[in-house]
Amino acid sequence: MVRDLTGVELFRPSVHMVRMDTPITPTIPFDNSYARLPERFFSRVNPTPVAAPQLIRVNEPLARDLGIDPAALASPEGIAMLAGNRIAEGSDPIAMAYAGHQFGNFVPQLGDGRAILIGEVLDTHGIRRDIHLKGAGRTPYSRMGDGRAALGPVLREYIVSEAFAALGIPTTRALAAVTTGDWVLREEPLPGAVLARVASSHIRVGTFQFFAARKDTEAIRTLADYAIARHYPDLTDRPEKYRDFLSAVIARQGELIAKWMYVGFIHGVMNTDNCAITGETIDFGPCAFMDTYHPSTVFSSIDHAGRYAFASQPAIANWNLVRFAETLLPILGDTQEQAIAAAQERIDAYPAVFQAAITDGYAAKLGIENKSSDDTTLIQDFLTVMANGAADYTLSFRTLSDAAEDPAKEAGLSALFSEAAGLDAWLLRWRQRLATDARAPRDIAAAMRAVNPVIIPRNHQVEAAIKAAVGTGDFAPFHRLVDELAKPFDDRPGIDDLKLPPKPDEIVRATFCGT
């Protein structure tokens, strides 16, 4: 339970798990490879115990995929481990060292200031994955911070990261969330929580920057060899493996950002310490999904200049990748000139990688199977009409999917636009384009619905779920969002309210970091 500052009970989290008759001790098959790297890569530190941990939710399918019994995670011993009150057998807790550019300004030492890597497991597919406790207390990298996480940001990350997984976008995952029974002080006292996060790894561009800033070429080479062996093993024996490693990271980032764009996602803090070399989305702080489409949309309360606006994300990813290439220069060539030339050649490939990925994604959203050179214009023109008409991004594409099968549904699409000038002309061009496809309209519509979600984690719904949990201990809206967002492409009874954009008094205009 969490009590207010006078000791009055505020809420008791609702547990979203099957009840057990007897406690079960969780057995986690840890194999901690990062902790076997040189000790300058991290600091060994145990989580700080909390007052009264209680379970909010365990991600049962993910737990089973990791080879962990979800019922054991929900046991008292499991909850204690998830909160940081108990060190599981085989765990080797560490806080990872890294640096980073934050809003363009380089900070030579950041590191895990409020998160602890408790260990790694090989999942049921043989893939190595980190288990990370976010909000687990102070570390040597906390920089005056409390090392804790408030309940609201933990719920936001759980909801959005799991929605990303269901949308097919590479992402960290939420294994479990617990309340702590403690308060964290932000603008006001807030109930604390811990998120158990899973990732292919937590190696970032900023991890390489940490060693580059110290001119530690040996560490850069060691880290690159480790990352290649773990994430890009097919490159291990190549004669130019470090150059190919750079190309592989560039390709994954380009493809990732394209996927963000075509679901209308705005990360909010694309700092280099939030750019994973695995190509997974990491850190869901002031993130948001657009309702009304406009390319300059910004939600993050700390992004005053719009550096990380929706349309700026591809260029920012490119900028981050340049910083990554700079860290690798000592191992990219025998001379500085060779290294710079090799890095530049690979960086120059990013725009084409991103453009191919974004064009493929938008073509699929418009029902185009075999792309032509004219399709880029058709795509951009639809986005322009949407921006001019202040149309809802998600509903526009989903309603267009229905219109592919039934032209009468075009009226529903027009109703989404405050100003529909240009829409009819565009629809005519679109239908002419689809007429060149041999597939039946029903099949085209089905293909479009498979990539155009009917529901997303809309900001006002996420905020309502957080408000209910923090304010009164009602976790039902949170659980409902997580459950329904696991099937984002399936229209079905009971989700009509989740499809809707916010009413004027529900619009969320700013989102906030958890720190």
Side-chain angles (χ1 to χ4, degrees), residues 20-27 69-79 86:
M20 300 171 300
D21 295 329
T22 58
I24 306 173
T25 300
T27 300
D69 181 0
L73 285 180
S75 71
E77 292 86 351
I79 295 169
R86 174 181 178 273

Side-chain angles (χ1 to χ4, degrees), residues 150-215:
L151 176 60
V154 164
L155 297 183
R156 175 184 293 275
E157 181 156 348
Y158 197 120
I159 293 166
V160 180
S161 64
E162 286 306 296
F164 255 44
L167 288 165
I169 301 174
T171 181
T172 60
R173 300 287 304 276
L175 174 61
V178 298
T179 56
T180 64
D182 294 323
W183 291 91
V184 297
L185 185 62
R186 297 297 181 256
E187 289 79 8
E188 59 182 334
L190 296 169
V194 177
L195 176 75
R197 180 170 70 185
V198 173
S200 294
S201 83
H202 287 81
I203 303 172
R204 314 150 189 261
V205 169
T207 317
F208 284 86
Q209 289 182 295
F210 180 84
F211 297 109
R214 289 154 179 77
K215 303 187 185 305

Side-chain angles (χ1 to χ4, degrees), residues 127-422:
I127 298 172
R128 183 175 295 276
R129 300 168 86 177
D130 286 355
I131 301 179
H132 212 229
L133 297 186
K134 191 170 183 179
R138 287 190 177 94
T139 78
Y141 311 110
S142 294
R143 296 179 299 154
M144 305 298 292
D146 60 14
R148 292 305 189 186
L151 176 60
V154 164
L155 297 183
R156 175 184 293 275
E157 181 156 348
Y158 197 120
I159 293 166
V160 180
S161 64
E162 286 306 296
F164 255 44
L167 288 165
I169 301 174
T171 181
T172 60
R173 300 287 304 276
L175 174 61
V178 298
T179 56
T180 64
D182 294 323
W183 291 91
V184 297
L185 185 62
R186 297 297 181 256
E187 289 79 8
E188 59 182 334
L190 296 169
V194 177
L195 176 75
R197 180 170 70 185
V198 173
S200 294
S201 83
H202 287 81
I203 303 172
R204 314 150 189 261
V205 169
T207 317
F208 284 86
Q209 289 182 295
F210 180 84
F211 297 109
R214 289 154 179 77
K215 303 187 185 305
D216 190 345
T217 301
E218 179 187 6
I220 293 170
R221 191 183 303 275
T222 297
L223 183 60
D225 287 340
Y226 175 85
I228 290 169
R230 181 167 178 175
H231 300 298
Y232 303 91
D234 56 315
L235 306 181
T236 301
D237 297 324
R238 291 193 186 180
E240 295 187 341
K241 65 177 180 179
Y242 300 127
R243 297 180 181 188
D244 292 341
F245 173 48
L246 174 57
S247 294
V249 173
I250 288 170
R252 286 200 187 176
Q253 279 294 318
E255 292 163 1
L256 175 67
I257 305 306
K259 290 178 178 179
W260 288 3
M261 300 295 284
Y262 56 72
V263 295
F265 177 75
I266 303 165
H267 185 278
V269 278
M270 289 179 65
N271 299 328
T272 56
D273 56 294
N274 291 336
C275 180
I277 59 95
T278 59
E280 290 179 318
T281 310
I282 186 171
D283 283 346
F284 296 85
C287 66
F289 283 76
M290 280 194 300
D291 295 306
T292 299
Y293 173 72
H294 198 283
S296 64
T297 301
V298 174
F299 284 97
S300 172
S301 64
I302 59 176
D303 191 3
H304 304 296
R307 176 181 174 87
Y308 300 141
F310 175 74
S312 298
Q313 293 180 134
I316 288 295
N318 195 6
W319 192 91
N320 288 345
L321 290 166
V322 172
R323 307 287 80 77
F324 178 55
E326 290 170 349
T327 71
L328 298 181
L329 288 178
I331 60 174
L332 289 181
D334 295 331
T335 67
Q336 186 176 31
E337 291 74 16
Q338 289 178 349
I340 291 173
Q344 190 65 58
E345 179 183 356
R346 283 149 183 82
I347 288 294
D348 288 346
Y350 169 83
V353 169
F354 170 77
Q355 193 58 51
I358 195 72
T359 301
D360 285 349
Y362 274 126
K365 288 174 77 68
L366 294 184
I368 297 169
E369 187 172 47
N370 300 309
K371 299 188 303 297
S372 72
S373 57
D374 294 334
D375 291 333
T376 300
T377 301
L378 185 68
I379 291 166
Q380 186 55 56
D381 287 350
F382 185 56
L383 294 174
T384 299
V385 172
M386 285 175 60
N388 292 340
D392 184 85
Y393 188 83
T394 300
L395 285 181
S396 293
F397 279 106
R398 184 68 183 201
T399 308
L400 189 69
S401 306
D402 297 333
E405 183 176 6
D406 181 2
K409 297 293 179 65
E410 288 182 6
L413 179 63
S414 297
L416 299 174
F417 289 70
S418 62
E419 172 54 63

